[in-house]
């Protein structure tokens, strides 16, 4: 029997939300140019915009034939996030006691669910030592991508693969591997000629909260503006907000319909950035043909207000209140180990939660993580005796 949580009517979540704590980075990791895991910030990128006189307008299709694309057919589960948390716990000598551990992408789907009527998702969850771990269901995602690819695109339109490449090409035009002072002028000027790859990533691991729930979330961040404020010489600098920048491409706005389309996109931009405490989104506007014409900076915390004063297609407070209530529901429902599904079917007014395996943690948790935590608990018990 599935337990269900009503997404609609969404107006029951309207109104002010309780004050939220700013998400705080507690750890990080990188994937290198071969997508190998590294427990460091080696893939952190620095923002520096393309120059209008030199780079713009830019054809985002350029270099598509040499794109170094990460093979996303492999299910990565929560592995990198769990390793990072485990290493942090070993260094600190204590377990992180939170209600949820998951990727940012999962929480984005929940946060946007009330206003994204076409959203559908399937996640796997398990309860271990009081924490609910949630991963994407890889099989469902692959099947969905296959269905989308087989749908014919409009005549004359670019392929899904090309349009996805535009986003990475834009990132390449906007970032540097080091601070401005440490990067050569030649590198900055020649960014339009660089081979585009999406294998390297920097992932931030943050602690955050919604209503009665605490969460550890991991997610990729595109770039930092200037640099991270942490300076070992300055006490407290570790707690300062990090000036992250999320990079996004979007079609130039020409009609009233485009305004509506852009507002709906803003829901995803806002949710994704808000969850990791990213303060700014830099949008690269492009034509239908993929020509990048100009950039615009958006302050993440002002996006909901902008939408309210615009077409009002969504409401940020409702999203936050909905997420708090939904996480409460998950805690009340997922009360034993085993594997659980969290599923929303297309256009469905409800999210279903049901158990598919009565015991164990499937492949959601790694044996290393389970061993480490069991040793920790054993140590805690010994200390209590
Ligand atoms: P755009 O968002 O500019 O289209 P992110 O913005 O999350 O950093 O992702 C970088 C780029 O990856 C996106 O740039 C897009 O090109 C591609 N991308 C992300 N999610 C995708 C998805 N679900 N399907 C296809 N491409 C995706
Ligand atoms: Mg990104
Ligand atoms: Mg981006």
């Amino acid at each position: 029997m599935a337990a269900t949580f009503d997404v609609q009517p969404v107006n029951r979540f309207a109104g002010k939300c309780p004050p939220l704590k700013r998400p705080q980075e507690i750890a990080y990791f990188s994937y290198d140019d071969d997508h190998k895991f590294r427990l460091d910030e080696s893939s952190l990128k620095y923002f520096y915009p393309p120059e209008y006189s030199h780079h713009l307008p830019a054809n985002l299709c350029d270099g598509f034939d040499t794109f170094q694309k990460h093979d996303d057919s492999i299910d990565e589960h929560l592995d990198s996030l769990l390793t990072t948390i485990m290493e942090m716990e070993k260094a600190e000598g204590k377990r992180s006691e939170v209600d949820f551990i998951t990727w940012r992408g999962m929480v984005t789907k929940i946060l946007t669910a009330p206003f994204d009527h076409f959203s559908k998702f399937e996640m796997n969850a398990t309860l271990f030592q009081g924490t609910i771990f949630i991963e994407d269901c890889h099989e469902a995602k692959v099947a969905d991508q296959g269905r989308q690819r087989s749908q014919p695109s409009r005549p004359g339109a670019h392929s899904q693969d090309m349009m996805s490449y535009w986003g990475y090409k834009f990132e390449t035009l906007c970032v540097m591997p080091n601070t401005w002072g440490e990067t050569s002028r030649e590198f900055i000027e020649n960014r339009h000629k660089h081979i585009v790859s999406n294998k390297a990533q920097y992932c931030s691991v943050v602690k955050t909260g919604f209503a009665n729930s605490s969460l550890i979330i991991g997610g990729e961040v595109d770039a930092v503006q200037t640099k991270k404020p942490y300076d070992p010489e300055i006490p407290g600098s570790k707690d300062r907000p990090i000036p992250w920048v999320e990079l996004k491409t979007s079609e130039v706005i020409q009609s009233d319909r485009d305004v509506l389309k852009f507002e709906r996109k803003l829901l995803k931009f806002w949710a994704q950035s808000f969850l990791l405490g990213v303060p700014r989104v830099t949008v690269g506007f492009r034509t239908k043909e993929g020509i990048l014409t100009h950039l615009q900076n958006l302050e993440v915390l002002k996006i909901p207000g902008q939408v309210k004063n615009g077409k009002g297609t969504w409401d940020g407070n409702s999203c936050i209140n909905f997420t708090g209530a939904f996480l409460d529901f998950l805690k009340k429902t997922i009360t034993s180990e085993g594997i659980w599904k969290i599923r929303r079917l297309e256009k469905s007014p409800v999210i279903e939660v049901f158990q598919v395996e009565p015991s164990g943690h499937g492949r959601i948790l790694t044996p290393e993580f389970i061993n480490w935590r069991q040793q920790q608990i054993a140590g805690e018990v010994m200390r209590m005796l």
Side-chain angles (χ1 to χ4, degrees):
M1 259 293 280
T4 56
F5 187 85
D6 293 329
V7 179
Q8 304 299 341
V10 76
N11 60 11
R12 71 192 200 275
F13 302 108
K16 276 210 160 72
C17 49
L20 293 163
K21 272 207 209 125
R22 178 169 56 79
Q24 194 126 26
E25 181 170 82
I26 54 167
Y28 48 78
F29 68 90
S30 294
Y31 291 115
D32 69 9
D33 292 335
D34 297 315
H35 203 73
K36 293 245 158 41
F37 173 84
R38 292 175 61 138
L39 194 61
D40 60 25
E41 55 176 39
S42 51
S43 293
L44 177 64
K45 298 283 187 294
Y46 296 79
F47 178 79
Y48 190 70
E51 279 151 18
Y52 277 84
S53 56
H54 182 64
H55 293 111
L56 298 179
N59 188 346
L60 296 175
C61 301
D62 284 353
F64 179 61
D65 51 334
T66 55
F67 181 31
Q68 303 270 314
K69 191 175 180 301
H70 168 59
D71 175 7
D72 60 6
S73 65
I74 299 155
D75 190 349
E76 298 180 356
H77 297 281
L78 294 173
D79 297 8
S80 310
L81 181 59
L82 297 180
T83 305
T84 306
I85 293 171
M86 180 173 77
E87 292 306 326
M88 177 189 74
E89 291 180 347
K90 283 181 183 170
E92 291 177 351
K94 65 173 197 306
R95 272 184 304 136
S96 351
E97 293 180 39
V98 286
D99 299 314
F100 295 93
I101 293 184
T102 187
W103 291 122
R104 180 258 315 265
M106 302 305 100
V107 195
T108 305
K109 288 181 197 186
I110 296 168
L111 193 57
T112 57
F115 297 98
D116 185 354
H117 307 300
F118 292 95
S119 87
K120 57 172 179 178
F121 50 76
E122 188 169 326
M123 305 172 194
N124 304 321
T126 193
L127 178 70
F128 177 59
Q129 295 181 346
T131 298
I132 297 171
F133 294 77
I134 307 173
E135 65 165 21
D136 208 357
C137 174
H138 188 72
E139 291 79 21
K141 192 172 114 189
V142 169
D144 201 42
Q145 279 171 347
R147 267 193 296 276
Q148 276 179 17
R149 287 226 168 89
S150 62
Q151 276 172 7
S153 49
R154 281 180 293 108
H158 284 284
S159 67
Q160 288 289 329
D161 287 347
M162 174 60 92
M163 289 173 80
S164 161
Y165 173 76
W166 291 347
Y168 300 116
K169 177 74 181 177
F170 175 58
E171 287 183 3
T172 309
L173 288 170
C174 290
V175 304
M176 315 176 288
N178 285 303
T179 60
W180 188 83
E182 293 162 325
T183 306
S184 74
R185 295 313 82 136
E186 196 196 347
F187 182 98
I188 295 171
E189 275 172 24
N190 288 328
R191 284 180 294 177
H192 58 297
K193 296 182 193 156
H194 293 168
I195 287 182
V196 177
S197 168
N198 67 346
K199 294 186 182 182
Q201 283 183 17
Y202 170 94
C203 292
S204 183
V205 178
V206 305
K207 183 150 182 219
T208 189
F210 279 93
N212 313 310
S213 299
S214 54
L215 301 87
I216 292 181
I217 312 179
E220 192 208 2
V221 284
D222 291 335
V224 65
Q225 209 190 345
T226 59
K227 63 186 181 69
K228 274 184 159 187
Y230 175 57
D231 180 341
E233 310 266 302
I234 305 174
S237 61
K238 224 177 164 155
D239 303 330
R240 287 183 187 165
I242 306 171
W244 296 122
V245 182
E246 169 60 47
L247 299 164
K248 289 286 178 195
T249 55
S250 199
E251 199 175 315
V252 285
I253 301 167
Q254 283 170 324
S255 65
D256 220 33
R257 235 184 97 209
D258 292 345
V259 176
L260 213 69
K261 219 164 107 184
F262 184 65
E263 252 195 21
R264 296 212 177 96
K265 263 187 121 166
L266 282 179
L267 171 61
K268 291 192 182 151
F269 294 2
W270 168 76
Q272 180 182 355
S273 304
F274 172 79
L275 287 169
L276 290 185
V278 173
R280 193 178 103 184
V281 179
T282 294
V283 185
F285 285 98
R286 51 137 186 103
T287 63
K288 269 194 177 36
E289 290 72 38
I291 307 295
L292 175 70
T293 57
H294 63 285
L295 273 60
Q296 192 188 344
N297 296 327
L298 302 172
E299 264 184 72
V300 172
L301 295 181
K302 289 194 178 158
I303 292 176
Q306 197 179 318
V307 170
K308 210 174 192 166
N309 295 327
K311 304 263 178 204
T313 48
W314 56 273
D315 171 56
N317 282 345
S318 302
C319 294
I320 294 168
N321 292 331
F322 168 85
T323 301
F326 181 70
L327 295 177
D328 280 344
F329 161 78
L330 282 185
K331 285 196 285 188
K332 277 195 206 106
T333 309
I334 303 179
T335 51
S336 65
E337 69 165 43
I339 311 280
W340 298 73
K341 287 274 177 204
I342 303 169
R343 186 174 73 180
R344 185 184 193 190
L345 300 173
E346 198 166 353
K347 295 184 194 153
S348 172
V350 299
I351 303 177
E352 304 163 278
V353 178
F354 51 97
Q355 201 177 26
V356 287
E357 295 278 344
S359 61
H361 306 291
R363 232 335 244 108
I364 303 175
L365 304 179
T366 59
E368 294 77 21
F369 185 79
I370 294 175
N371 284 343
W372 152 249
R373 281 297 193 83
Q374 280 168 346
Q375 279 170 24
Q376 269 295 96
I377 293 276
E380 282 168 25
V381 171
M382 288 294 283
R383 279 193 292 277
M384 273 161 57
L385 293 176

